[in-house]
Amino acid sequence: MSPTVPGTRKSRRSRPLPDLQLLEAFVAVCDAGSMALAAQHLGLSQSAVSQAVKTLETELGLQLLDREVRPAVTTHAGRVLRERATRLLGQARAMVEQVRATARHEHTQIHLGCVDSFAATVGPRLIRALSGSAQQILMWSGLTPMLNEQLRGRELDFAICTDSAIDDPRIVQRLLFSESWVAVFPKGHAVQALTSARELSALPGGLPLIRYSQRSVTGQQIERFLRHIGVQAPRAYEFDATDPLLSLVASGLGWALSTPLCLWQSRQYLDDVVVIPIPATRLGQRHFFLLSREDEWAGLDEHIARVTRDVIRQDTTAAIRQCMPGLPPDALFCPDEETP
């Protein structure tokens, strides 16, 4: 048996494989015909592209560009490398896309948590639209604080909530859509259209304010809004959900602040109530966010956000306007582009 020469195996491993980013810079220079155009294409500085090519030449121990002529041209080694690197970069990009597609479309199970009003209204249509993204999608509903805790504890993969204030740097938030507060009164109760949100503080007496519970984010947000517009109303009835709240309003026992999505969830009561839009003001909206853990889903989180906005624009908005035709155009607003 031949003796093993000390250090031989180590020396074979010491020559590094070329960095794909260096190869990308070199191919960009070859394709563009100049360092400046390549830098513009890559979004880098010209000096960074020049340094990348020099580093690649050093690592390979070869001259790739003949700089004695202007513009620089590839050497024989450079031409061979350009051809091979172009194929390699194409394969690398295809590999990334295939991995992302596999992660997006072949998840065996996704755990999605949503606040109740979303789960009961947008949820079924979202699940149908996502049916090709996983073999099994489990949707849980609940209040935002509980969903946040389940996301932190990895019981959920994604959470659609009405509050983005989650104290975890690993959690990414995406704004999905927003909806404005509306006032709801018993049918037949004489209430004129509002020209200002502060007019709610001067409504005729006789009807108590029926509230969402302070355990819910919606209840907390409405309380901040009421303080903002100067409404001071004694606490009478409080509920976590819209159904019991709206049933009391429909029975003539009080009035409430709610949202178009919540009212659509409990639309069996809409014939017995009057929905009054509230003019836009600071704190006058409820926002929905998609929360997910950073860099774990290979683009599936962006896919869910995009599909959700499509469902809102193409389906939910039209259904709500049919039930409540008096709502202004911005009562349910979905941004055209993702807002960080």
Side-chain angles (χ1 to χ4, degrees):
M1 179 180 295
S2 300
T4 301
V5 178
T8 301
R9 184 168 298 178
K10 180 178 179 181
S11 64
R12 288 177 180 174
R13 291 181 177 178
S14 63
R15 184 180 295 275
L17 292 173
D19 188 291
L20 288 179
Q21 291 182 325
L22 300 181
L23 291 176
E24 184 180 36
F26 172 69
V27 170
V29 171
C30 295
D31 291 344
S34 74
M35 295 281 184
L37 291 177
Q40 183 178 358
H41 173 73
L42 296 173
L44 301 173
S45 66
Q46 184 172 341
S47 61
V49 173
S50 176
Q51 184 59 49
V53 174
K54 290 178 181 178
T55 300
L56 184 61
E57 288 179 321
T58 300
E59 289 186 358
L60 296 177
L62 296 167
Q63 182 180 355
L64 302 175
L65 294 177
D66 183 353
R67 297 174 177 81
E68 296 297 324
V69 295
R70 291 290 183 271
V73 297
T74 53
T75 63
H76 174 69
R79 290 192 294 274
V80 173
L81 179 63
R82 176 187 182 182
E83 179 183 349
R84 304 287 178 86
T86 299
R87 291 202 299 268
L88 179 62
L89 290 170
Q91 292 170 353
R93 294 187 184 100
M95 176 193 67
V96 171
E97 291 304 317
Q98 289 169 2
V99 170
R100 285 177 173 171
T102 299
R104 184 169 64 243
H105 296 296
E106 295 184 5
H107 291 299
T108 58
Q109 193 176 83
I110 294 174
H111 294 83
L112 174 64
C114 311
V115 292
D116 291 334
S117 58
F118 184 97
T121 54
V122 186
R125 293 165 177 81
L126 176 61
I127 293 297
R128 188 180 302 116
L130 292 174
S131 58
S133 300
Q135 296 179 18
Q136 186 179 16
I137 301 177
L138 303 180
M139 177 177 283
W140 299 349
S141 65
L143 299 177
T144 287
M146 179 188 72
L147 296 176
N148 285 344
E149 288 303 314
Q150 291 173 330
L151 183 64
R152 282 196 189 96
R154 293 186 174 270
E155 297 176 62
L156 293 176
D157 301 312
F158 303 95
I160 295 178
C161 302
T162 54
D163 186 3
S164 63
I166 181 169
D167 186 21
D168 191 330
R170 298 167 299 177
I171 302 299
V172 177
Q173 65 179 41
R174 290 174 172 81
L175 176 64
L176 297 176
F177 65 98
S178 305
E179 57 176 350
S180 299
W181 304 121
V182 294
V184 192
F185 293 88
K187 193 171 185 178
H189 191 77
V191 179
Q192 301 296 322
L194 302 174
T195 59
S196 168
R198 294 189 178 276
E199 292 178 9
L200 286 171
S201 62
L203 290 175
L207 281 181
L209 174 62
I210 303 173
R211 287 175 159 89
Y212 285 96
S213 167
Q214 290 291 286
R215 292 180 298 187
S216 70
V217 170
T218 296
Q220 297 167 15
Q221 292 172 340
I222 287 179
E223 288 303 311
R224 288 196 293 269
F225 175 68
L226 290 172
R227 290 194 296 270
H228 171 63
I229 62 175
V231 173
Q232 297 181 352
R235 313 195 78 84
Y237 311 104
E238 296 187 9
F239 299 97
D240 288 336
T242 302
D243 267 7
L245 179 145
L246 206 58
S247 69
L248 263 65
V249 176
S251 299
L253 297 178
W255 69 284
L257 290 182
S258 190
T259 72
L261 204 63
C262 288
L263 297 183
W264 188 40
Q265 177 189 7
S266 302
R267 53 190 174 274
Q268 67 270 26
Y269 297 106
L270 287 179
D271 289 341
D272 299 313
V273 300
V274 177
V275 179
I276 306 295
I278 299 175
T281 183
R282 188 171 68 86
L283 305 181
Q285 289 184 320
R286 179 171 79 149
H287 306 288
F288 283 79
F289 299 89
L290 173 67
L291 306 181
S292 60
R293 286 182 292 276
E294 187 175 18
D295 297 331
E296 287 198 15
W297 288 98
L300 181 60
D301 46 358
E302 297 173 2
H303 179 62
I304 291 176
R306 183 170 58 253
V307 170
T308 300
R309 296 188 190 105
D310 288 344
V311 169
I312 292 292
R313 293 190 191 101
Q314 300 169 12
D315 192 334
T316 308
T317 300
I320 288 178
R321 293 197 182 286
Q322 186 175 1
C323 290
M324 294 168 275
L327 292 179
D330 59 352
L332 191 68
F333 174 73
C334 193
D336 291 331
E337 297 180 359
E338 181 172 328
T339 302

